């Protein structure tokens, strides 16, 4: 009897969390599907998110096809989702009024976690054409700042009224400061180690030989019959090599699809420029070429010196960079581009081949962002790979390792394709 009672109690105990989990799943499905009891949305009856709750005010919580009753908070979340994903008149209405959009942004930040807020903002800009409203100061104060928002603001560029530019600059500054805090220390540490190893790899002069490291590095060449070590490789302190800085050229495509890459490249450019052992040049291009090296002390200035959304002439940009290389064997050129060439096809590959033949280390990144590989010109990428310069997408967290390998002239840590 006691055993049966114990089993019954255990079953009740297990049933309670199972029931709660099932109820939570239904609640989430209800929020995903929208008000399925109403028809006539943009995608037809029963399509999920419909115009449902009217834009004029909150709807009474009720039941729909899932049998779930929404509480007050869930009903507010549902209205925020419907305003963005419902289509029809409501979706169009959201994009037409700055006060209404500002209120919606406030609701979204109230009811959803920050990563979700950023996704919804991005969808609102893409689906509802809200980019022009971001030129209004009150809108900029309401949004959650991230890399993609910065890209949108930079795309607006000179179309943004003077009254909004200071607000836009504050948004960009906030994002840049967060990125520098996340990336700068690790980048400096990784590249400092790479530069030290690279310096020791050179053939040092006699007074710069580190004999302790040299002996350890050549123990396998010990000749017992002579009681000596043959120093096939000399290891130096690196003082002479560090007196001649490495040179890094960041050549960045500023076409519209590369917005996030431009943001990250500007941050990394400022970090590299702050290192005495590296001379950094930053060039951005579309069909024209702009040298932003003088602005590298502040990545925000770099970003506001860009002009996102133009065409692409990779060959012209590489020609500009090539002309400014004075020490090829000490130079790393990093091309950040989706490789869609609007200039003279074939000339880009010839220029890359010429730089590599002169001793330049060439790195081709299809993107420098968290989103992975974008659409890119596969033919151009394959041509670069044949030249020994594989093109691949790189996340910001992986970029220091890529640069360290380039500076040490060792194989690049190319991520494996999915």
């Amino acid at each position: 009897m006691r055993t049966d009672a114990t089993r019954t109690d255990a079953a009740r105990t297990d049933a309670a969390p199972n029931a709660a989990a099932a109820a939570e799943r239904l609640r989430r499905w209800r929020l995903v599907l929208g008000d399925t009891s109403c028809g006539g949305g943009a995608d037809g009856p029963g399509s999920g998110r419909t115009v449902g709750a009217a834009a004029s005010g909150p709807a009474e919580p009720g039941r729909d096809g899932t049998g779930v009753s929404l509480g007050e908070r869930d009903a507010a979340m549902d209205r925020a989702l419907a305003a963005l994903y419902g289509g029809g008149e409501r979706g169009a209405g959201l994009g037409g009024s700055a006060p209404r959009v500002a209120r919606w942004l406030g609701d979204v930040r109230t009811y959803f976690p920050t990563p979700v807020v950023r996704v919804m903002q991005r969808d609102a800009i893409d689906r509802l054409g809200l980019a022009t409203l971001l030129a209004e100061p009150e809108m900029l104060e309401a949004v959650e700042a991230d890399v993609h928002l910065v890209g949108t603001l930079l795309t607006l560029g000179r179309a943004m009224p003077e009254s909004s530019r200071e607000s836009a600059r504050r948004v960009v500054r906030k994002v840049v400061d967060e990125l520098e805090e996340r990336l700068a220390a690790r980048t400096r540490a990784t590249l400092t180690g790479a530069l030290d190893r690279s310096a020791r790899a050179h053939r040092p002069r006699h007074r710069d030989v580190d004999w302790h490291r040299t002996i350890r590095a050549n123990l396998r060449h010990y000749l017992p019959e002579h009681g000596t070590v043959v120093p096939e490789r000399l290891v130096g302190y690196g003082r002479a090599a560090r007196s001649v800085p490495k040179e890094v050229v960041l050549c960045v495509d500023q076409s519209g699809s590369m917005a996030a890459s431009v943001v990250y490249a500007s941050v990394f450019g400022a970090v590299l420029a702050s290192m005495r052992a590296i001379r950094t040049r930053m060039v951005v291009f579309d069909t024209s070429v702009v040298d932003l090296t003088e602005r590298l002390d502040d990545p925000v200035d770099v970003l506001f010196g860009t002009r996102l959304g133009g065409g692409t002439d990779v060959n012209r940009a590489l020609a500009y960079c090539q002309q400014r290389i004075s020490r090829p064997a000490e130079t790393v050129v990093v091309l950040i581009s989706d490789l869609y060439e609007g200039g003279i096809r074939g000339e880009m590959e010839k220029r890359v081949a010429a730089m590599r033949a002169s001793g330049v280390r060439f790195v081709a990144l299809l993107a420098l962002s968290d989103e992975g590989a974008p659409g890119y010109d596969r033919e151009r990428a394959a041509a670069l790979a044949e030249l020994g310069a594989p093109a691949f997408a790189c996340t910001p967290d992986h970029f220091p390792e890529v640069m360290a390998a380039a500076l040490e002239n060792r194989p690049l840590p190319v991520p494996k394709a999915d």
Side-chain angles (χ1 to χ4, degrees), residues 355-366:
M355 281 192 279
R356 283 180 52 79
S358 70
V360 171
R361 191 71 196 273
F362 193 88
V363 180
L365 302 181
L366 300 169

Side-chain angles (χ1 to χ4, degrees), residues 31-48:
L31 290 171
V32 168
L33 295 171
D35 188 358
T36 56
S37 64
C38 298
D43 299 317
S47 61

Side-chain angles (χ1 to χ4, degrees), residues 92-103 130 133 136 139:
L94 181 62
S97 166
R100 180 177 296 172
V101 174
R103 286 195 299 272
L130 301 187
L133 290 181
E136 302 188 21
M139 285 290 295

Side-chain angles (χ1 to χ4, degrees), residues 94-115:
L94 181 62
S97 166
R100 180 177 296 172
V101 174
R103 286 195 299 272
W104 177 79
L105 286 168
D107 289 344
V108 167
R109 295 176 72 175
T110 298
Y111 297 118
F112 299 94
T114 298

Side-chain angles (χ1 to χ4, degrees), residues 55 68 75 85 91 110 192 258 295 304 309 373 404:
V68 175
Y85 301 110
T110 298
T192 297
M258 303 297 293
R295 302 191 185 193
F304 278 95

Side-chain angles (χ1 to χ4, degrees), residues 51-326:
V51 176
S56 58
E60 292 295 327
R63 292 181 176 272
D64 77 332
T66 63
V68 175
S69 179
L70 294 181
E72 183 177 349
R73 181 180 178 85
D74 284 348
M77 293 175 67
D78 187 61
R79 288 193 295 274
L81 290 166
L84 174 56
Y85 301 110
E89 295 177 0
R90 182 164 191 174
L94 181 62
S97 166
R100 180 177 296 172
V101 174
R103 286 195 299 272
W104 177 79
L105 286 168
D107 289 344
V108 167
R109 295 176 72 175
T110 298
Y111 297 118
F112 299 94
T114 298
V116 177
V117 172
R118 289 173 176 170
V119 171
M120 293 179 71
Q121 283 181 176
R122 203 180 314 161
D123 286 348
I125 291 169
D126 292 342
R127 293 165 63 95
L128 305 178
L130 301 187
T132 54
L133 290 181
L134 290 174
E136 302 188 21
E138 63 269 25
M139 285 290 295
L140 288 171
E141 298 298 330
V143 294
E144 185 72 34
D146 68 350
V147 169
H148 297 281
L149 178 63
V150 170
T152 300
L153 295 176
L154 296 178
T155 301
L156 293 175
R158 294 174 179 81
M160 184 175 292
E162 192 65 37
S163 60
S164 300
R165 290 184 183 177
E166 189 55 40
S167 297
R169 195 174 185 87
R170 285 197 299 270
V171 170
V172 174
R173 172 68 64 190
K174 178 177 183 292
V175 173
V176 165
D177 287 348
E178 290 173 354
L179 293 178
E180 282 192 302
E181 183 177 358
R182 166 188 157 194
L183 300 168
R186 179 166 165 266
T187 300
R188 290 192 186 99
T190 301
L191 298 190
T192 297
L195 289 165
D196 286 342
R197 290 188 296 272
S198 177
R200 290 197 296 270
H202 286 74
R203 292 186 177 181
R205 291 175 292 184
H206 185 271
R207 67 174 181 269
D208 292 320
V209 175
D210 184 335
W211 289 108
H212 290 289
R213 285 195 179 98
T214 296
I215 291 169
R216 285 199 300 270
N218 291 277
L219 284 176
R220 64 182 180 276
H221 304 304
Y222 176 68
L223 300 178
E225 64 272 22
H226 297 287
T228 188
V229 171
V230 178
E232 289 191 0
R233 182 171 69 87
L234 298 177
V235 179
Y237 290 107
R239 290 191 297 264
R242 278 199 297 270
S243 67
V244 181
K246 293 281 189 178
E247 297 190 4
V248 173
V249 180
L250 299 177
C251 186
V252 186
D253 184 343
Q254 63 175 350
S255 57
S257 60
M258 303 297 293
S261 297
V262 172
V263 176
Y264 281 116
S266 299
V267 173
F268 279 117
V271 173
L272 294 174
S274 71
M275 300 179 66
R276 292 184 178 180
I278 299 177
R279 290 177 182 167
T280 306
R281 180 180 295 276
M282 183 162 177
V283 173
V284 297
F285 67 93
D286 41 37
T287 53
S288 59
V289 180
V290 180
D291 194 325
L292 297 175
T293 303
E294 298 301 319
R295 302 191 185 193
L296 278 177
D297 59 330
D298 186 348
V300 175
D301 282 343
V302 172
L303 288 170
F304 278 95
T306 63
R307 186 183 60 189
L308 292 177
T312 310
D313 193 337
V314 182
N315 178 60
R316 184 174 185 179
L318 291 179
Y320 178 90
C321 296
Q322 187 180 23
Q323 291 167 4
R324 282 149 185 83
I325 295 173
S326 58

